[in-house]
Amino acid sequence: MPRSKTCAAASRSPCSDWPRRHARHYPKGAATRDGSGRRHRRAISSVPFLPPNRCPMSQQPKTAIQPTRAQDYPEWYLQVIKAADMAENSPVRGCMVIKPWGYALWENIQRTLDGMFKETGHVNAYFPLFIPLSYLQKEAQHVDGFAKECAVVTHSRLEAGPDGKLVPASPLEEPLIVRPTSETIIGESFARWVQSYRDLPLLINQWANVVRWEMRTRLFLRTAEFLWQEGHTVHADEADARAETMRMLDVYADFAEQHLAMPVIKGRKTDSERFPGAVDTYCIEAMMQDRKALQSGTSHYLGQNFARSSNIRFQDEAGQMQFAHTTSWGVSTRLIGGMIMTHADDDGLIVPPRLAPQHVVILPIYRDAADRANVLAYCESLKTELHAQRLGDERLRVTIDDRDLRGGEKTWSWVKKGVPLRIDVGPRDIAAGSVFVARRDTGEKESVDRSEFVGTVIARLQAIQDNLLARAKAFRTEHTRVIDSKDELYAWFTPQSGDKPEIHGGFALCHWNGSAAVEAQLKEELKVTIRCIPLEGEWGYDATPGQCVMTGEPSVGRVVLAKAY
RNA sequence: CGGGGCGUAGCGCAGUCCGGUUAGCGCGCUUGACUGGGGGUCAAGAGGUCGGAGGUUCGAAUCCUCUCGCCCCGACCA
């Protein structure tokens, strides 16, 4: 007999601590007046739970994640990660442990992107984790950008100190920094690898970890150490390098939309948001469900800045020595944070099928040993039929969950992990030759003829993928506004509730006079930044001249304003 | 680095103000039974040098000093 939703909710957390919460409101003195306070407390806290229909919170719909997005968005985000068992904080400050479900997502991101990089002519290589301090110093702006957040290695061994504790010993002649990014160390190699125009373009990528000593960290979004890829390329001229910059930006945008189902705006950064040392920084910006922007990938045209500082020169066809033009571009495990905040709901993660560690989970249901054998055999053959099919160019990933858990608990664990399709298979389904299918993104459930399901499973997964993207696009549209008055702008970015779940308008498409002073004012007064200047043809692009929303001065087009992660 | 909060069992907490039996509770975990189509029931168990180091005391989770770590809020960032 299935339990009713409200009934189930009553036995769960909002209500289970109800009596205790109220016990706190007893005057403290009362508990200890007779010296047996403990017994008092015990008596209070052993009050039986109120019956479900009396539970004061039973009106709330049941959610697997608490708090909900509306109640406390940042905490919801952390709880989703925990409930899906994706990652956890480590004993090392600011660093995370990525658990198998989270790492599987990263592996899928890696595999797909790596294929796209190869398709565009790039090859992988690996450069050192440690960078001599003097290298960072070669590019002045680069130093300014990263010096404040570098981990520095100063010693090469440990010795037992006077109190028996290990102390660093044997100082290095030149300290090493742990790479926050690799332009300088890669530049050193490139300077030797590039001699002639015939060596160009040089198209290299590396998958690596980097360290940026951040003050405040959040799982996946900003950690002291994170995983990423960084592409580094060298070109003979500006046009070629700029084309590369844009090509990789397109790769990122395609990947974000097609695989992460995360709509992004391709745009150019303003001077104040530019990568330290770059001539131009381009980015993809996405809107999260709290309406804040997440920079999800960047691609930089570095001009000849790093070529000069690293001495990357080549002899051109005329025999002249020239500085090369370089680019760099990267995406990181932050994409996983973006995926969570784009799709997850109050029941946990929702994984876009193209990236799902498991596409389909089959939950066998049986009572006794005889049933078990039948049901498992049915499940195995179903798994085989499903596994033979392909979504994109990958075989369906299907798992049978035969763990010895109660049905409900097992089901919920997969809901929280965000597996696109769940299938219940019990004796009744076998008798009817059907399967019972539940769809994670919409919550729809139906009994479907088995062969029909096998025949439509790819279409079903694709429908989920499409729905997630469409839903996210609709959300972005709903929370984006073209704004031309300063009052309206301030109203748009003023939280509607002063409390924790900050709800403000979202994105604003506004005219801007191009001055850093206006940017500084926006940041100071509204905590809003110019996320990007949309590229021609992009969503949000508008290059009809107008007047700056702040100053009324002339503007050549609209920019995207938002609060950002 | 400034302001605020918190470290007690795997997780969440009570106990700290006002020092005094063997430090409790919920969830989870283990074992068994009944169960099993959205978080089930019952029974029996295991699990803690109370973040760390000093100090006060006959006696410290509780008081004092120092220290480490975490969370939230502000300035930087993929």
Side-chain angles (χ1 to χ4, degrees):
Chain A
M1 195 64 185
R3 295 158 58 85
S4 80
K5 290 203 169 186
T6 47
C7 184
S11 67
R12 298 183 55 229
S13 41
C15 303
S16 56
D17 65 350
W18 163 250
R20 281 174 57 207
R21 219 181 268 168
H22 285 254
R24 280 192 209 138
H25 295 173
Y26 279 76
K28 288 219 163 187
T32 49
R33 192 168 299 141
D34 62 358
S36 61
R38 185 158 288 156
R39 210 170 302 151
H40 262 85
R41 285 305 178 89
R42 200 178 290 146
I44 291 163
S45 60
S46 66
V47 167
F49 295 158
L50 298 169
N53 60 343
R54 300 277 309 282
C55 177
M57 297 180 82
S58 63
Q59 303 308 320
Q60 289 188 358
K62 174 177 66 174
T63 60
I65 303 297
Q66 279 167 0
T68 61
R69 287 164 290 185
Q71 287 165 346
D72 185 345
Y73 193 85
E75 182 61 23
W76 163 83
Y77 172 78
L78 294 174
Q79 292 305 323
V80 169
I81 291 170
K82 195 170 171 182
D85 209 20
M86 281 191 279
E88 61 191 20
N89 278 310
S90 78
V92 185
R93 178 197 187 89
C95 296
M96 64 175 166
V97 175
I98 306 177
K99 300 182 80 174
W101 192 254
Y103 200 77
L105 284 161
W106 179 240
E107 286 179 305
N108 291 344
I109 290 170
Q110 261 187 313
R111 180 156 25 77
T112 305
L113 274 175
D114 198 61
M116 295 169 87
F117 298 155
K118 303 279 170 62
E119 287 291 319
T120 43
H122 303 82
V123 289
N124 286 328
Y126 188 79
F127 297 86
L129 171 68
F130 300 121
I131 300 179
L133 194 52
S134 58
Y135 281 39
L136 190 75
Q137 234 142 22
K138 288 179 181 173
E139 217 291 333
Q141 292 176 26
H142 203 60
V143 181
D144 288 348
F146 288 108
K148 285 166 291 183
E149 48 185 24
C150 283
V152 187
V153 180
T154 54
H155 293 74
S156 65
R157 54 176 208 172
L158 295 170
E159 279 176 358
D163 55 357
K165 287 183 178 167
L166 291 172
V167 292
S170 192
L172 302 183
E173 259 179 46
E174 179 183 0
L176 299 168
I177 60 165
V178 181
R179 62 181 165 218
T181 180
S182 303
E183 274 75 8
T184 57
I185 187 81
I186 291 180
E188 191 278 338
S189 289
F190 283 4
R192 288 180 288 108
W193 297 359
V194 173
Q195 303 286 331
S196 152
Y197 70 93
R198 293 192 180 89
D199 297 325
L200 301 178
L202 179 60
L203 307 175
I204 300 287
N205 177 65
Q206 91 164 341
W207 291 95
N209 58 338
V210 286
V211 168
R212 296 180 186 177
W213 215 259
E214 302 287 354
M215 302 212 140
R216 301 191 54 202
T217 59
R218 290 183 78 188
L219 291 176
F220 289 115
L221 294 176
R222 187 182 300 112
T223 46
E225 180 191 12
F226 58 94
L227 305 183
W228 78 346
Q229 61 65 219
E230 47 182 324
H232 295 271
T233 68
V234 188
H235 306 264
D237 57 41
E238 173 169 353
D240 200 39
R242 283 196 177 274
E244 166 77 4
T245 307
M246 303 318 291
R247 180 183 310 122
M248 300 322 288
L249 188 69
D250 286 342
V251 165
Y252 288 156
D254 286 350
F255 175 78
E257 302 215 347
Q258 298 310 309
H259 293 265
L260 291 165
M262 185 169 82
V264 294
I265 304 172
K266 287 186 282 191
R268 185 166 55 83
K269 285 294 192 188
T270 64
D271 291 356
S272 59
E273 298 268 326
R274 223 193 303 122
F275 175 76
V279 172
D280 270 316
T281 286
Y282 298 86
C283 62
I284 52 173
E285 293 281 336
M287 182 190 284
M288 304 293 101
Q289 290 183 72
D290 60 355
R291 310 178 194 177
K292 285 165 77 173
L294 183 76
Q295 181 178 131
S296 309
T298 50
S299 186
H300 316 291
Y301 168 59
L302 303 173
Q304 294 177 310
N305 293 347
F306 285 91
R308 285 182 204 282
S309 60
S310 297
N311 200 30
I312 306 173
R313 298 192 300 165
F314 66 98
Q315 209 164 15
D316 66 17
E317 290 166 77
Q320 299 293 311
M321 291 304 287
Q322 289 203 30
F323 283 113
H325 295 253
T326 63
T327 81
S328 69
W329 27 275
V331 295
S332 72
T333 37
R334 176 179 254 199
L335 287 175
I336 296 174
M339 185 203 77
I340 296 166
M341 287 198 290
T342 301
H343 301 305
D345 64 16
D346 292 338
D347 283 332
L349 191 61
I350 298 180
V351 189
R354 296 296 288 269
L355 287 178
Q358 299 293 335
H359 293 114
V360 182
V361 59
I362 302 173
L363 304 170
I365 294 154
Y366 48 78
R367 290 159 193 267
D368 50 37
D371 274 356
R372 181 171 192 273
N374 279 339
V375 170
L376 285 182
Y378 190 91
C379 291
E380 285 292 349
S381 68
L382 180 61
K383 176 181 172 179
T384 304
E385 286 178 49
L386 294 172
H387 182 62
Q389 304 197 48
R390 288 172 184 277
L391 179 67
D393 47 12
E394 304 210 334
R395 280 178 180 279
L396 282 201
R397 296 182 278 271
V398 184
T399 191
I400 297 171
D401 184 358
D402 191 33
R403 288 177 298 167
D404 183 21
L405 292 177
R406 271 79 184 219
E409 197 176 337
K410 201 192 279 191
T411 302
W412 276 107
S413 75
W414 293 108
V415 172
K416 290 182 289 192
K417 278 180 154 32
V419 170
L421 291 174
R422 291 192 316 279
I423 299 177
D424 289 348
V425 173
R428 267 183 263 156
D429 304 289
I430 296 177
S434 65
V435 294
F436 191 77
V437 185
R439 194 178 144 165
R440 178 62 182 89
D441 63 329
T442 60
E444 289 166 344
K445 283 163 257 189
E446 56 176 337
S447 188
V448 185
D449 180 75
R450 171 179 167 155
S451 61
E452 185 198 329
F453 176 72
V454 171
T456 57
V457 65
I458 298 299
R460 286 168 189 268
L461 289 167
Q462 191 57 52
I464 293 172
Q465 183 82 30
D466 295 345
N467 179 46
L468 290 177
L469 179 61
R471 207 197 247 181
K473 279 185 174 171
F475 184 88
R476 183 180 64 179
T477 301
E478 189 185 341
H479 300 293
T480 299
R481 190 185 290 178
V482 173
I483 293 179
D484 288 315
S485 97
K486 190 171 170 180
D487 287 348
E488 190 182 351
L489 184 72
Y490 276 62
W492 183 247
F493 284 116
T494 301
Q496 287 154 26
S497 68
D499 289 345
K500 254 197 173 170
E502 176 187 310
I503 309 286
H504 62 278
F507 285 8
L509 300 173
C510 300
H511 280 293
W512 168 58
N513 66 357
S515 85
V518 165
E519 283 185 278
Q521 189 185 353
L522 286 167
K523 192 165 185 178
E524 172 70 24
E525 294 179 8
L526 292 176
K527 290 171 191 154
V528 160
T529 49
I530 298 178
R531 299 319 304 156
C532 68
I533 304 160
L535 300 184
E536 187 173 353
E538 271 303 287
W539 191 89
Y541 171 76
D542 180 1
T544 52
Q547 293 180 313
C548 175
V549 70
M550 296 292 285
T551 65
E553 292 171 343
S555 152
V556 295
R558 293 186 187 275
V559 299
V560 177
L561 294 181
K563 301 193 183 192
Y565 276 95

